[in-house]
Amino acid sequence: MDVAGQLCYTDAYARSTDARVLAVDDGAETPFVVLHRTVFYPGGGGQPSDRGVLLRASDGRTWTVRSAKKSAGDIVHELEPADGGPPSVGDVVSVDLDWARRHALMRTHTALHALCGVVWRDYGALVTGGNMEPGAGRMDFEFVRMIGDLVDEIEARVNTELDAARDIRVAVLPREEAFAIPDLIRTKINLLPPGIDEIRTIEIVGLDLQADGGTHVANTREVGRIRVTGYESKGRINKRIRIAVDAPTSTIP
């Protein structure tokens, strides 16, 4: 699959596309399919992969895509086993996301970046881990001490930033230019492989700029508001903050 066919990285709002089947592996318990173009995000950086369906144009047959992953530069789609087997090489299919789930993940991912931005700006704490599901997530930070008043303060400051309707910008920069940006890597350990020539960045304008490969909303007003649902110690200096993301008042785009 050509990189240009991996639409999730250039247009997070692309919900469907037509595609041609390039390769099929049905030797495993679940079949895998490679398409020449896809809207599926393959997972990474704590964000789960997308789910959805493939619809064959010639006869209307559908297959459920249970997950996607990166393999040798391609985005590979894992299908639920189905009577009659997977589609065939050369088939033309419509590729459709479970959009409600994807958009919830986009909102959650952006909320976590806002949390990370506030914690870095106001407290200077690096990220040591994180994960998410639609509408909820957690981040671990290098805090020596964490108390309820501090967590309440962080929640309020994050919601202030989300309410500010800040635009989110995506850019792809040459590695040297990207690493000239101060504090581009907020994780305790730099997880970017040395062989990558270009770095994708996500900027919440006026708050946060990080290297990131996931999908995000276009403006923080789409996120809604966060609630801190728990915090705990995961070691001497690792403290975990769990959040839930409340639905925005506006409708899903």
Side-chain angles (χ1 to χ4, degrees), residues 4-253:
Q6 300 178 2
L7 302 179
C8 60
Y9 298 116
T10 55
D11 182 5
Y13 289 86
R15 309 182 192 193
S16 64
T17 188
D18 290 334
R20 185 176 66 259
V21 178
L22 295 180
V24 178
D25 180 359
D26 59 354
E29 182 178 340
T30 56
F32 291 90
V33 172
V34 177
L35 308 171
H36 94 285
R37 180 169 56 232
T38 187
V39 290
F40 277 74
Y41 177 67
Q47 179 176 336
S49 71
D50 287 323
R51 300 173 186 167
V53 297
L54 304 182
L55 169 65
R56 186 160 60 195
S58 61
D59 60 3
R61 188 170 172 212
T62 63
W63 291 267
T64 298
V65 181
R66 62 163 59 167
S67 68
K69 65 180 181 179
K70 264 288 183 74
S71 178
D74 290 327
I75 294 177
V76 179
H77 306 75
E78 181 185 6
L79 307 184
E80 294 279 4
D83 292 340
S88 301
V89 172
D91 281 352
V92 175
V93 295
S94 175
V95 187
D96 294 293
L97 289 178
D98 178 342
W99 173 247
R101 181 177 181 274
R102 157 69 84 80
H103 191 250
L105 285 166
M106 288 163 59
R107 292 171 47 237
T108 304
H109 202 163
T110 301
L112 289 169
H113 273 242
L115 171 63
C116 181
V118 165
V119 168
W120 174 253
R121 180 195 66 192
D122 297 347
Y123 308 98
L126 289 170
V127 175
T128 57
N131 212 334
M132 74 189 80
E133 59 188 61
R138 57 91 172 166
M139 296 200 86
D140 300 343
F141 296 99
E142 271 197 332
F143 272 110
V144 174
R145 184 167 174 265
M146 183 169 287
I147 59 175
D149 287 348
L150 174 61
V151 172
D152 290 344
E153 182 177 88
I154 291 171
E155 178 185 271
R157 292 185 180 189
V158 171
N159 282 324
T160 295
E161 297 300 333
L162 296 175
D163 289 342
R166 297 185 181 277
D167 286 335
I168 288 91
R169 297 175 181 169
V170 180
V172 178
L173 304 176
R175 186 182 183 92
E176 184 175 341
E177 180 181 342
F179 277 95
I181 299 171
D183 307 318
L184 182 72
I185 308 300
R186 298 289 176 74
T187 51
K188 179 69 173 176
I189 300 173
N190 184 351
L191 300 177
L192 293 175
I196 294 179
D197 295 326
E198 294 183 323
I199 307 297
R200 186 173 182 266
T201 64
I202 301 294
E203 179 183 11
I204 302 178
V205 176
L207 174 64
D208 187 56
L209 175 60
Q210 294 187 54
D212 183 81
T215 60
H216 292 266
V217 294
N219 189 284
T220 58
R221 66 174 174 266
E222 282 184 50
V223 173
R225 294 174 67 81
I226 69 156
R227 289 178 290 110
V228 172
T229 57
Y231 62 96
E232 58 200 90
S233 176
K234 303 303 291 184
R236 186 175 63 83
I237 60 171
N238 286 332
K239 303 299 183 288
R240 177 167 294 175
I241 299 177
R242 299 183 183 275
I243 66 168
V245 182
D246 293 333
T249 55
S250 58
T251 58
I252 292 177

